Amino acid sequence: MEISRSKEDYAAFCATLADLPLCCQPWYLNAVAEGGQWSVVLVMEGTKALAALPYFHKHKLGLHYVTMPLFTKYMGILPAPEIRRDPPREIVDLLLSALPKLAGIDQQFSPLANTFVPLLPERFQTFAYHTHRLQLGEGKDWRAGINRNMRRNIRKADAALTLKTDLDLSTFYQINALSFTRQGLSLPYSFAQLERHDQALAKAGRRQIFTAIDAEERIHSVAYLMWDQQAAYYHLSGDDPELRNSGSGIWLIAQALDFTQQHLQLPIFDFEGSMIPAIAAIREQFGATKTTYYRVQQQRSMLYRALKWWRDR
């Protein structure tokens, strides 16, 4: 087995994985790698890749460290299907030893790597997180899995709201920002960053914006859906705080679910979290179940540890 750092090898490996998360695609990483750069190491057996480890890294205050780029749920180890059930420790060791010398690492591994996490050296800390996924089998009525109150609320919103799918990105961003403002939070990305992200997804034909409007053309809620070959991701959303009582947020999820099942014909709808109990409860009322993934950290530098504590506090 040998190490490759070739992005061409990585692109070829990605093309073989039917269940590769969208956010691990090379073109996706090119669009979100702002303020740093993304690189990759692969374990090769001849011309075949057995596993890859893409990573986004930055230099700041003399520190070289790995973190997660904007709009990116997963990076970390991506194994070939044939080694997922019984992963060789040698592959984990080879991937980690091929990384440059780093002050720290903070990555979210996809569920594809769950069997690899126990093989990480003790110097790594691992934290179990959950996303919520709804299985959309062919012919399955997802509405049958929701409770009566939610079903009634969706029907009520049906009578008051209309779906629009041609909203411009600037207006989407404004409504998206309102949900952060309502909570006293700053929006974690600029319009320019969202625009770059959106352009890459639109070029690949991997996104759709949904808008809930009323008879007076007022925008109640917006949602941003993106997808890969296996799953659609409820990526970004926002509501007008003054119009939230219409049930538009729940109603838009229903529209996105119908789009995923009927138009995209994909088997998985991924809510992209959240760990917040109130939000998780809504996901579960749709029939979604928890899927575990891991956040993996290593802190080798005292300065890195101090700066990370200050940022996360």
Side-chain angles (χ1 to χ4, degrees):
M1 289 186 285
E2 297 180 347
I3 290 293
S4 170
R5 294 179 174 82
S6 164
K7 289 185 178 180
E8 288 75 18
D9 285 343
Y10 179 62
F13 177 58
C14 290
T16 69
L17 301 181
D19 54 359
L20 178 79
L22 177 67
C23 58
C24 294
Q25 287 282 1
W27 57 264
Y28 188 106
L29 295 173
N30 287 338
V32 298
E34 185 172 327
Q37 63 185 52
W38 75 274
S39 300
V40 65
V41 293
L42 303 99
V43 174
M44 307 290 294
E45 193 168 61
T47 59
K48 177 178 174 56
L50 297 178
L53 199 170
Y55 60 99
F56 174 68
H57 50 120
K58 293 184 174 184
H59 288 86
K60 187 175 182 179
L61 299 177
L63 298 174
H64 186 198
Y65 60 95
V66 168
T67 186
M68 296 294 291
L70 283 171
F71 308 116
T72 304
K73 185 78 171 180
Y74 307 121
M75 290 187 78
I77 296 174
L78 298 170
E82 61 267 25
I83 65 169
R84 292 176 192 171
R85 185 182 297 273
D86 187 19
R89 183 181 295 272
E90 181 185 5
I91 287 181
V92 176
D93 293 340
L94 284 170
L95 288 171
L96 296 178
S97 64
L99 293 173
K101 186 176 181 180
L102 298 162
I105 296 174
D106 189 352
Q107 280 195 317
Q108 292 175 180
F109 284 27
S110 84
L112 299 180
N114 282 358
T115 55
F116 283 72
V117 171
L119 303 180
L120 292 171
E122 290 184 0
R123 64 180 182 273
F124 288 88
Q125 293 179 292
T126 60
F127 306 89
Y129 282 56
H130 303 289
T131 187
H132 283 81
R133 289 180 171 177
L134 184 58
Q135 302 297 321
L136 299 174
E138 185 177 351
K140 180 181 179 181
D141 180 10
W142 63 263
R143 284 178 171 80
I146 62 178
N147 63 36
R148 184 179 301 175
N149 287 337
M150 184 169 287
R151 192 178 295 114
R152 182 174 61 249
N153 289 339
I154 292 172
R155 284 201 302 266
K156 180 180 176 182
D158 272 331
L161 299 172
T162 300
L163 180 65
K164 181 177 180 180
T165 57
D166 59 353
L167 187 70
D168 63 278
L169 191 67
S170 178
T171 304
F172 171 86
Y173 182 72
Q174 294 172 27
I175 303 299
N176 178 222
L178 292 177
S179 292
F180 289 87
T181 303
R182 177 174 57 84
Q183 301 173 74
L185 301 173
S186 299
L187 198 61
Y189 39 83
S190 68
F191 177 71
Q193 290 168 325
L194 176 62
E195 186 175 40
R196 181 181 177 186
H197 177 50
D198 177 72
Q199 287 174 350
L201 287 165
K203 182 179 179 180
R206 296 287 180 178
R207 69 91 163 127
Q208 180 63 61
I209 296 174
F210 298 92
T211 311
I213 62 172
D214 61 21
E216 299 174 20
E217 297 288 321
R218 296 180 301 176
I219 296 175
H220 288 232
S221 295
V222 295
Y224 193 110
L225 193 76
M226 63 181 191
W227 58 86
D228 52 35
Q229 296 182 72
Q230 187 179 45
Y233 303 87
Y234 204 69
H235 189 43
L236 304 168
S237 61
D239 309 290
D240 185 329
E242 297 183 2
L243 302 173
R244 293 179 69 217
N245 290 337
S246 66
S248 56
I250 297 296
W251 185 78
L252 267 192
I253 293 174
Q255 308 313 304
L257 277 164
D258 283 340
F259 180 83
T260 300
Q261 186 173 49
Q262 298 169 15
H263 180 74
L264 300 177
Q265 298 183 341
L266 294 174
I268 299 172
F269 187 90
D270 193 322
F271 286 92
E272 287 201 346
S274 158
M275 298 286 284
I276 300 172
I279 297 177
I282 293 174
R283 307 316 193 209
E284 290 167 7
Q285 287 176 40
F286 271 98
T289 56
K290 291 179 180 178
T291 297
T292 300
Y293 65 96
Y294 289 91
R295 183 175 179 180
V296 175
Q297 296 181 334
Q298 182 190 18
Q299 300 177 0
R300 299 183 62 181
S301 160
M302 290 295 293
L303 178 57
Y304 171 83
R305 185 179 292 112
L307 289 173
K308 185 167 179 54
W309 174 86
W310 177 260
R311 186 191 67 181
D312 294 346
R313 73 188 179 92

